[in-house]
Amino acid sequence: MNDNRIIVLLTRKMAGEINELEQEELTGLLAENPEALYYEEFVKELWSKSTVYDSAAEAFYLRHKARHQHTFNFNRQDDNENKIDSEREKRQSTKRKWIFYSAAASIMFILFVGFFWNSYMENNIVNEKIEIVAEKGVRKQWVLPDGTKVWLNADSRLSYSDFKNKKLRLVNLEGEAYFDVAKNKNKPFIIKTEKISIRVLGTAFNVKAYPNEQKTEATLIKGAIELSVNERPKERIVLKPSEKIAVVNPEKTVDPKKKQANSLIVTIGSLSRVHMEDREYIQETSWIDNKLIFKNETMEELIPKLERWYNVNIQVNAPKVKTYRYTANIAGENITQLLNAMQLIKSFQYKIEGNEIIIY
């Protein structure tokens, strides 16, 4: 909206100086920019106040003339009065013009300051990071500013800035999240994790990237994604629906500080479909429906998942128990019910003290 031009034309109109072409231009601008009516009301208010002031002064003069007409010969001064009235009108007109041009200048100054203030806000405040955190034992659902839906699994965090004035929609993920990305071909959606980056235009997929785990996974449900390993950014991998990529850092469990170039192992496979009770589940995304599904996994592999799911710490003191394998579909069971069920499959003992669980 051309604020400055509208204010100038409104000021000229109220001062009686607007011509026919300018009036047509003003009418068109007000029609195209209904919000500019605020300026018109403001200028009218200034005009009415100045008119009231001038009218009050004129009324005082007339009362004074009527009261003292017998003392002073006002008739002899008619010619002079007419001349004085003409000069007074010119002064009043000049004064009104000065008021309105001053008002216009003031409004333009406010708009000028507002423009730079908005720029400052966009560059400094809007760019502040927004962080969503799902603690252990908690799962969250969130809608990002662009309409993208995000499900955040336990012990995960997602951070992002406002997408309005950016060429990219960039988010950072630690942990696990499922994304249903709003389509916008002009603003690609990018997820950055410790080991991989994913670029999409609009699709649904799951990303699992816990910082303390050896493996990072991305599972595509629909659409398409382009993935790159942060250590090898020039290499691009495009996933098709139902495909899954796993990036493994073999050094992670040995010594995280001793990372070697190109040490990551990348594998591409299919998502895991699990059939239980005459139903099919996708193991990688079942958690968004508050179901924890695992298939033929060892107790050692399950411990991090159970710790996040139930917000507990688990210590296994019997090496043999770590090798026990389990397949299960957990929905509403608490940790005690789950451990009792697991005991029926493979024998072990446990004790619970607050959030601490010891298995032996």
Side-chain angles (χ1 to χ4, degrees):
M1 183 175 72
N2 193 343
D3 301 292
N4 293 351
R5 183 59 179 166
I6 291 173
I7 293 167
V8 168
L9 291 174
L10 284 172
T11 304
R12 289 181 59 78
K13 176 183 177 181
M14 300 308 295
E17 296 183 350
I18 193 169
N19 58 40
E20 187 176 345
L21 290 176
E22 289 174 332
Q23 180 60 57
E24 290 180 2
E25 181 185 359
L26 177 60
T27 302
L29 287 172
L30 292 177
E32 294 172 2
N33 305 280
E35 63 272 24
L37 291 175
Y38 167 79
Y39 299 138
E40 187 174 24
E41 293 300 321
F42 180 75
V43 173
K44 283 181 179 179
E45 186 177 353
L46 284 177
W47 174 267
S48 63
K49 287 182 179 179
S50 64
T51 303
V52 168
Y53 174 82
D54 293 337
S55 300
E58 183 67 19
F60 176 81
Y61 168 74
L62 292 175
R63 288 198 300 270
H64 175 78
K65 177 179 178 180
R67 182 179 299 177
H68 300 286
Q69 191 169 10
H70 64 283
T71 305
F72 301 99
N73 189 358
F74 286 99
N75 292 329
R76 293 179 182 176
Q77 301 176 7
D78 283 345
D79 292 340
N80 290 334
E81 275 190 12
N82 291 335
K83 186 176 181 181
I84 292 171
D85 287 343
S86 177
E87 292 177 353
R88 183 188 300 120
E89 181 61 31
K90 289 180 180 179
R91 287 197 301 270
Q92 290 174 349
S93 177
T94 302
K95 179 175 68 177
R96 282 195 293 269
K97 292 178 185 178
W98 182 86
I99 289 173
F100 286 107
Y101 284 123
S102 297
S106 299
I107 295 172
M108 290 180 188
F109 175 75
I110 292 170
L111 292 172
F112 180 77
V113 173
F115 171 79
F116 283 99
W117 174 253
N118 287 335
S119 298
Y120 172 82
M121 293 285 285
E122 289 175 359
N123 293 329
N124 293 275
I125 296 178
V126 172
N127 286 335
E128 288 186 359
K129 291 286 185 181
I130 300 169
E131 188 173 72
I132 312 165
V133 179
E135 303 290 352
K136 288 184 177 180
V138 177
R139 285 161 292 284
K140 290 186 177 181
Q141 186 175 351
W142 198 264
V143 179
L144 299 181
D146 67 329
T148 293
K149 297 177 182 178
V150 181
W151 287 258
L152 203 59
N153 205 350
D155 195 22
S156 302
R157 63 185 64 233
L158 183 79
S159 62
Y160 63 94
S161 299
D162 198 322
F163 301 149
K164 289 182 180 178
N165 300 307
K166 304 294 181 183
K167 294 181 180 179
L168 299 174
R169 295 173 288 168
L170 175 65
V171 300
N172 293 278
L173 173 66
E174 290 184 9
E176 185 170 13
Y178 179 88
F179 296 88
D180 190 351
V181 179
K183 292 183 179 180
N184 187 339
K185 62 180 181 180
N186 297 320
K187 286 187 177 182
F189 192 95
I190 295 179
I191 302 103
K192 281 191 171 293
T193 72
E194 182 184 10
K195 290 196 282 286
I196 64 173
S197 298
I198 299 170
R199 179 187 178 97
V200 301
L201 294 176
T203 186
F205 57 98
N206 192 79
V207 181
K208 183 180 179 184
Y210 286 101
N212 57 341
E213 289 194 358
Q214 195 177 11
K215 183 187 294 185
T216 295
E217 294 181 344
T219 304
L220 181 61
I221 305 302
K222 63 180 180 180
I225 60 175
E226 181 185 83
L227 184 144
S228 63
V229 178
N230 294 340
E231 287 188 3
R232 306 194 289 272
K234 293 184 179 180
E235 299 177 12
R236 306 286 179 176
I237 302 169
V238 177
L239 288 189
K240 298 177 182 179
S242 299
E243 286 187 336
K244 177 174 72 174
I245 188 169
V247 180
V248 180
N249 181 8
E251 302 291 332
K252 188 82 176 181
T253 55
V254 179
D255 187 351
K257 296 180 181 179
K258 296 181 180 179
K259 287 188 177 181
Q260 299 175 0
N262 301 323
S263 61
L264 299 179
I265 300 172
V266 180
T267 59
I268 299 177
S270 300
L271 54 78
S272 302
R273 301 182 185 274
V274 181
H275 295 270
M276 291 184 179
E277 301 174 356
D278 298 326
R279 292 191 60 183
E280 182 182 80
Y281 299 93
I282 297 176
Q283 184 176 353
E284 291 81 2
T285 61
S286 62
W287 63 269
I288 68 175
D289 296 318
N290 290 319
K291 294 181 182 295
L292 179 61
I293 296 176
F294 43 91
K295 181 180 179 180
N296 196 31
E297 295 187 45
T298 65
M299 176 70 84
E300 187 171 25
E301 292 170 331
L302 288 175
I303 286 174
K305 297 180 180 179
L306 299 179
E307 288 180 329
R308 289 191 292 265
W309 195 262
Y310 290 107
N311 188 21
V312 295
N313 296 316
I314 301 175
Q315 178 181 335
V316 180
N317 292 336
K320 185 178 180 180
V321 176
K322 293 182 180 181
T323 64
Y324 291 169
R325 292 186 174 273
Y326 296 93
T327 298
N329 176 8
I330 302 172
E333 295 85 355
N334 61 39
I335 187 63
T336 302
Q337 292 171 328
L338 175 62
L339 291 174
N340 289 340
M342 295 174 75
Q343 277 183 318
L344 298 177
I345 300 172
K346 297 284 186 177
S347 178
F348 62 85
Q349 301 298 317
Y350 72 89
K351 62 180 180 180
I352 300 178
E353 298 178 358
N355 286 345
E356 302 292 329
I357 299 176
I358 299 176
I359 297 176
Y360 52 95

